[in-house]
Amino acid sequence: MIIGIDEVGRGCWAGPVVAAAVGLEPGMLMEGLNDSKLLSATSRLKLVSQIQATTQQIGIGWVWPQEINKVGLTESVRLAMQRAFDQLTLSATEIIIDGSYNFLAHIPNTVPIVKADGSVSAVSAASVIAKVARDTYMIKIAKKYPEYGFESHVGYGTKKHVNALTKYGVLPIHRRNYKPIKRFLADSL
């Protein structure tokens, strides 16, 4: 079993950081599986169903804006990955984290690999699971705050998001320790 771990939402101004951990047998291939950023929303949804049908070993870790504000981004990414990993029940021969930094260095057999989300099936699967989970949450939260357009930008710093912040202000789901959000908070004083 190889466990792949990836996170999404690191650069967002609003909403959670989400990580997924997915365990797959070595050599397991799924048609169309790739880095979630390179796939359409429709393709990601189809792949989630295939991933769920292929393995019971799926964990999703959430770190909410209040926690991100308190512990910072690096610790939030580590915490999301740890929470996702802790939901798995089988041991693995190898745990691969997308990127250059090993957020789970305290766990044996854990290695970071740059661009693993496009080259290691288990990490690609984790990328897709995390992206769909986070996007689904942001689409849901968009109904609570329709003027912000979260369904389209999912919390990233787009022009639409900046315009909404300028007009309506900072929400509880914004990451108040991020420089752009700090600027909006300072401007509102």
Side-chain angles (χ1 to χ4, degrees), residues 5 19 22 26 37 50 58 71 84 99 115 132 134 142 155 161 164:
I5 301 176
V22 176
K37 294 182 291 298
Q50 289 178 350
I58 298 172
V71 301
K115 299 190 188 240
V132 169
R134 188 180 189 286
H161 195 175

Side-chain angles (χ1 to χ4, degrees), residues 115-171:
K115 299 190 188 240
D117 53 0
S119 62
V120 178
S121 292
V123 181
S124 298
S127 173
V128 169
I129 293 288
K131 176 84 171 130
V132 169
R134 188 180 189 286
D135 285 0
T136 300
Y137 170 79
M138 293 304 292
I139 290 166
K140 183 178 169 183
I141 205 74
K143 293 175 183 167
K144 186 174 180 179
Y145 305 109
E147 59 277 5
Y148 286 79
F150 289 123
E151 72 283 354
S152 64
H153 58 70
V154 297
Y156 284 96
T158 64
K159 183 176 182 177
K160 184 175 189 175
H161 195 175
V162 169
N163 290 341
L165 281 161
T166 301
K167 188 170 183 180
Y168 304 108
V170 175
L171 297 170

